[in-house]
């Protein structure tokens, strides 16, 4: 049985999810603007767009997956193609306080890793736009790994590569299923509901000070 990590002990490294922790990711909100709420609801009810995106996050070709899906649903073709053509608009803006926590940890010598469901091409786009994505000590991007959270395999791969014991990893993610999968392997976890609570958690652990922010 995996030992459950104590949640109030000082970790050896902090592992960040990216979407909705460091960068806002809410495609539905932009589609409401682009095509209207009613049309957006109809499209998302008809087409498994998040499943489509999971395929990109597993490393399949970004444009091909989006355009093939668009061609399969001609009534929504132009709108679905926006997932590719205006992807950078959907991955925006940066969550400033979370970025400051990342930099505060680095300034104090705490190793920081990224573990994110992200396609190969989409991560390259984001890396060009957001300079802080180049500041991690290690990056674990699902598109390069061929597996997505919450598959236990991706957490195992992180452990094997970084050499930090599971109980020494503190993982922050906005999705409960990803958090539960990490906790099941013995990682410390924080379920992200906003940057202030995350900053408070890091402060309580003594990893940063509010003055750092």
């Amino acid at each position: 049985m995996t030992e459950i990590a104590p949640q109030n002990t000082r970790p050896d490294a902090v592992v960040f999810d990216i979407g909705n922790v460091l960068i806002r990711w809410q495609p539905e909100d932009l589609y409401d603007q682009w095509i209207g709420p009613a049309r957006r609801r109809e499209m998302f009810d008809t087409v498994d767009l998040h499943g489509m995106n999971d395929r990109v996050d597993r490393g399949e070709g970004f444009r091909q997956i989006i355009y093939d899906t668009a061609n399969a649903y001609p009534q929504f073709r132009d709108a679905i193609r926006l997932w590719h053509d205006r992807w950078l608009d959907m991955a925006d803006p940066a969550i400033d306080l979370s970025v400051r926590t990342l930099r505060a940890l680095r300034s104090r010598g705490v190793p920081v890793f990224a573990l994110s469901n992200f396609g190969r091409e989409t991560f390259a786009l984001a890396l060009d736009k957001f300079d802080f994505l180049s500041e991690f000590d290690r990056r674990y991007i699902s598109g390069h790994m061929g597996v997505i959270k919450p598959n236990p395999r991706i957490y195992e791969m992180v452990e094997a590569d970084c050499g930090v014991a599971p109980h020494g990893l503190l993982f922050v993610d906005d999705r409960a299923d990803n958090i539960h999968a990490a906790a099941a392997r013995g990682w410390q976890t924080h379920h992200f509901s906003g940057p202030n609570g995350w900053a408070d958690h890091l402060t309580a652990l003594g990893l940063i000070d509010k003055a750092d922010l």
Side-chain angles (χ1 to χ4, degrees), residues 15-35:
V15 186
F16 282 78
D17 178 32
I18 295 174
N20 288 324
V21 174
L22 288 163
I23 300 170
R24 189 174 185 273
W25 170 254
Q26 295 293 334
E28 289 86 344
D29 290 351
L30 271 185
Y31 271 105
D32 282 350
Q33 298 174 35
W34 292 338
I35 63 176

Side-chain angles (χ1 to χ4, degrees), residues 119-171:
R120 291 171 297 166
E121 296 99 327
T122 53
F123 186 74
L125 289 170
L127 193 59
D128 283 341
K129 181 174 182 178
F130 299 107
D131 58 354
F132 58 84
L133 294 179
S134 67
E135 298 176 17
F136 291 102
D137 296 290
R138 295 172 185 260
R139 295 196 303 247
Y140 301 102
I141 303 303
S142 65
H144 294 285
M145 301 168 78
V147 60
I148 63 173
K149 298 174 294 182
N151 188 319
R153 174 61 180 154
I154 199 168
Y155 304 94
E156 181 184 359
M157 292 169 74
V158 172
E159 295 163 12
D161 181 77
C162 74
V164 178
H167 65 267
L169 296 168
L170 169 61
F171 178 50

Side-chain angles (χ1 to χ4, degrees), residues 44-155:
F44 275 73
D45 287 345
T46 303
V47 187
D48 184 8
L49 293 169
H50 289 288
M52 172 192 74
N53 197 67
D54 285 346
R55 294 178 63 189
V56 175
D57 287 348
R58 288 189 182 95
E60 296 187 50
F62 178 37
R63 187 183 188 280
Q64 181 175 348
I65 292 300
I66 307 307
Y67 272 51
D68 284 354
T69 303
N71 290 336
Y73 296 90
Q75 70 273 39
F76 301 115
R77 180 184 291 114
D78 291 345
I80 293 171
R81 285 182 175 185
L82 295 175
W83 199 287
H84 173 273
D85 299 345
R86 298 191 64 179
W87 185 86
L88 277 176
D89 292 329
M90 291 194 291
D92 192 71
I95 302 172
D96 290 337
L97 180 55
S98 290
V99 175
R100 293 200 298 273
T101 64
L102 165 65
R103 289 173 167 164
L105 289 164
R106 285 186 55 80
S107 72
R108 287 178 171 252
V110 179
V112 289
F113 308 153
L115 173 58
S116 189
N117 287 351
F118 234 114
R120 291 171 297 166
E121 296 99 327
T122 53
F123 186 74
L125 289 170
L127 193 59
D128 283 341
K129 181 174 182 178
F130 299 107
D131 58 354
F132 58 84
L133 294 179
S134 67
E135 298 176 17
F136 291 102
D137 296 290
R138 295 172 185 260
R139 295 196 303 247
Y140 301 102
I141 303 303
S142 65
H144 294 285
M145 301 168 78
V147 60
I148 63 173
K149 298 174 294 182
N151 188 319
R153 174 61 180 154
I154 199 168
Y155 304 94

